[in-house]
Amino acid sequence: MDADPRRWWGLVIIALAQLMVVLDATIVNIALPSAQSDLGISDGDRQWVITAYTLAFGGLLLLGGRIADLVGRKRTFVIGLVGFAAASALGGAATTSGMLFGARALQGVFAAVLAPSALSLLTTTFTDPKERGKAFGIYGALAGSGSAIGFIVGGLLTEYLDWRWCLYVNVPIAVVAVIGALALLHDSPGHPGARLDVPGVLLGCGGLVAIVYGFAEAEPRGWTDPMVLTLFAAGVVLLAAFVWWQTRAPVPLLPLHIIKDRSRAGCFLTMALAVIGMFGLFLFMTYYLQVILDYSPVMTGLAFLPLTAAIITGSTQIAARLLDHVAPRLLMAPGALLAAVGMVLLTRLTVHSSYAADILPALILMGLGMGLIFMPVFATATAGVAPQDSGVTSATVNTSQQVGGSIGTALLNTIATTSSTAYITAHLTDPAQRALVTKEGIVHGYTVAIWWAAAIMLLAGLIAALMVTAKPSKHGAPQEAPVPESVA
């Protein structure tokens, strides 16, 4: 019997929702200078426009995955879309920095409900290995390129309308996705007997917030400040308590058997580390192009187009075609190496660098590399999972992506800012040269942070090579977790 002929249209709806969620992590980047000026946000606080979203998103994704398993994926998908649209409208209408930060956090909350539902629906809709590879290739390309697409859309909206439209634009997208979901998507009912692990949410989310807040506060206070050290210590203790509680909770938020699988744990770690470098880099490149090279918002957005094209190529044309024939780590590890080489090229940036010679080759290498990482991670991490765990497994993939983004933005922003300040203090001997030395200092800070990003990307490749032992899907793998014969 033929599968549902409308499933590919269903994929379009799922992909549209995922694209909206992913690009919202970066669409406001290009709008940041305008929003910062409009609402009077300080340099130290501006990263919270990004981090409030990624932190709420990453911190609550596991809960979102459990809710999807509990009440049904289609229902949570629609609820997530409606809530996301409402939070976006609130952010667009923000009159103070606090209102904007709050709306961005609320967007993250609803994204945490929406994203795991989307990936679970994809996993249950495409079960044929050949179709599954193609569907995950498209999904992985969107997950990877959504951030770059956000820059282009953000640039156009900021330059020709207003920064607020970077948030308002989600409303019509969500309306189309809701109508499509109600018409095209199918799902089995949820498991109403299950319970939610509230202590797990508080411990896990609290630990992540403490660590990211610690990275953010290290910039104004210094790495050895008592408050910064206390935040890091509290984060580690809370996360340790979270792991301990998961072994004892009646219905754990993150069943530890999911991450005990070596390949799956390797995929989660690889994703988190790869995204740490990528998200921080997006922030620097946006400010570098606009502040140092004086690009307009639209020109800045267009400058990221080759990166988007390279991610899509790496994901759909290379990784998706090879995943049936080669082990996932043989795509992920070289992908991380390619991306790291691209980042190292960017460490040569100066105040007079040229886009074609110094930036473009790096963006292409990074894009191809990230495409080779994203697609195999999504496909390998969700393969062979029992149906009742598909929501929470999907959520864990997204969690690793968003937590990596939160930590990356806060950590690398802090490294860049402190390095810039130290450079300017050491080199500013002639007040007449203040403007030039300040620009040189800013670029120096970016290059120091990019070296760190490259090192973290290499670590991602090493983790993939050592931990992801799954075999090519054509050879019956990944099979570390047996595929269930019947729905539990």
Side-chain angles (χ1 to χ4, degrees):
M1 183 180 164
D2 196 24
D4 182 359
R6 299 187 304 171
R7 64 194 180 284
W8 292 105
W9 285 108
L11 173 63
V12 171
I13 296 302
I14 292 168
L16 187 66
Q18 177 67 12
L19 178 64
M20 182 177 74
V21 165
V22 174
L23 68 79
D24 240 74
T26 54
I27 192 170
V28 295
N29 270 39
I30 287 180
L32 254 181
S34 307
Q36 191 177 350
S37 165
D38 202 8
L39 300 179
I41 303 170
S42 72
D43 281 355
D45 286 343
R46 72 185 175 198
Q47 55 105 3
W48 283 107
V49 177
I50 312 293
T51 310
Y53 175 76
T54 54
L55 195 53
F57 190 3
L60 295 172
L61 262 165
L62 287 169
L63 178 65
R66 270 293 173 226
I67 292 172
D69 289 339
L70 184 68
V71 301
R73 295 166 196 110
K74 180 175 174 178
R75 191 178 299 169
T76 50
F77 185 76
V78 172
I79 291 168
L81 283 168
V82 172
F84 195 87
S88 299
L90 180 68
T95 52
T96 64
S97 59
M99 187 174 168
L100 179 59
F101 298 159
R104 290 286 287 162
L106 198 58
Q107 276 186 306
V109 170
F110 284 105
V113 174
L114 178 59
S117 309
L119 191 51
S120 290
L121 285 165
L122 184 69
T123 304
T124 52
T125 302
F126 294 92
T127 50
D128 177 76
K130 197 169 184 181
E131 284 195 345
R132 183 184 168 89
K134 190 174 178 183
F136 271 96
I138 294 167
Y139 186 87
L142 282 168
S145 64
S147 304
I149 292 169
F151 288 118
I152 298 161
V153 176
L156 290 166
L157 293 172
T158 302
E159 191 158 330
Y160 294 113
L161 291 169
D162 182 53
W163 67 266
R164 297 176 184 278
W165 278 95
C166 291
L167 292 158
Y168 288 144
V169 72
N170 292 320
V171 178
I173 295 175
V175 169
V176 171
V178 166
I179 294 168
L182 293 173
L184 296 166
L185 298 180
H186 306 288
D187 186 33
S188 55
H191 303 277
R195 285 180 293 167
L196 295 177
D197 178 16
V198 177
V201 174
L202 296 175
L203 290 169
C205 199
L208 293 173
V209 169
I211 286 172
V212 172
Y213 192 50
F215 282 131
E217 286 297 304
E219 190 265 309
R221 295 171 179 271
W223 291 99
T224 55
D225 180 83
M227 181 180 170
V228 172
L229 295 175
T230 302
L231 283 167
F232 286 144
V236 170
V237 168
L238 285 169
L239 290 177
F242 169 77
V243 173
W244 171 83
W245 172 250
Q246 294 310 287
T247 63
R248 286 157 179 77
V251 186
L253 187 64
L254 176 60
L256 293 183
H257 67 263
I258 286 173
I259 53 173
K260 279 179 183 171
D261 177 278
R262 181 171 171 170
S263 286
R264 198 168 291 126
C267 284
F268 298 149
L269 267 175
T270 301
M271 174 65 92
L273 290 167
V275 173
I276 283 178
M278 195 175 179
F279 266 55
L281 203 74
F282 279 152
L283 189 64
F284 304 143
M285 291 310 297
T286 303
Y287 272 87
Y288 177 78
L289 293 168
Q290 285 195 55
V291 177
I292 306 298
L293 299 187
D294 291 323
Y295 278 32
S296 68
V298 168
M299 283 298 294
T300 304
L302 291 174
F304 282 101
L305 260 180
L307 176 71
T308 311
I311 290 175
I312 292 171
T313 303
S315 186
T316 62
Q317 299 306 308
I318 303 173
R321 291 172 187 268
L322 292 178
L323 193 61
D324 278 352
H325 309 286
V326 302
R329 64 175 165 187
L330 295 182
L331 296 171
M332 292 155 65
L337 184 61
L338 265 183
V341 170
M343 289 175 176
V344 170
L345 291 180
L346 289 177
T347 61
R348 304 176 307 159
L349 290 178
T350 69
V351 292
H352 304 297
S353 289
S354 117
Y355 176 79
D358 301 311
I359 299 170
L360 182 60
L363 293 182
I364 291 170
L365 285 175
M366 281 169 51
L368 287 171
M370 292 307 290
L372 289 174
I373 294 171
F374 275 120
M375 188 269 162
V377 163
F378 280 120
T380 307
T382 56
V385 178
Q388 67 269 26
D389 286 329
S390 70
V392 73
T393 306
S394 305
T396 310
V397 182
N398 278 292
T399 297
S400 57
Q401 191 178 355
Q402 296 306 321
V403 168
S406 301
I407 292 173
T409 304
L411 168 65
L412 296 177
N413 189 52
T414 294
I415 290 171
T417 312
T418 48
S419 301
S420 294
T421 305
Y423 182 94
I424 293 166
T425 305
H427 291 79
L428 189 58
T429 51
D430 180 0
Q433 296 289 312
R434 175 176 292 275
L436 178 62
V437 172
T438 300
K439 275 194 170 186
E440 287 176 346
I442 290 169
V443 175
H444 172 75
Y446 293 165
T447 56
V448 170
I450 291 168
W451 273 115
W452 279 90
I456 293 167
M457 187 62 78
L458 285 174
L459 181 59
L462 185 65
I463 294 286
L466 295 177
M467 288 186 68
V468 183
T469 55
K471 293 181 173 60
S473 53
K474 206 169 192 178
H475 301 154
Q479 288 290 341
E480 287 86 345
V483 179
E485 292 179 4
S486 60
V487 176

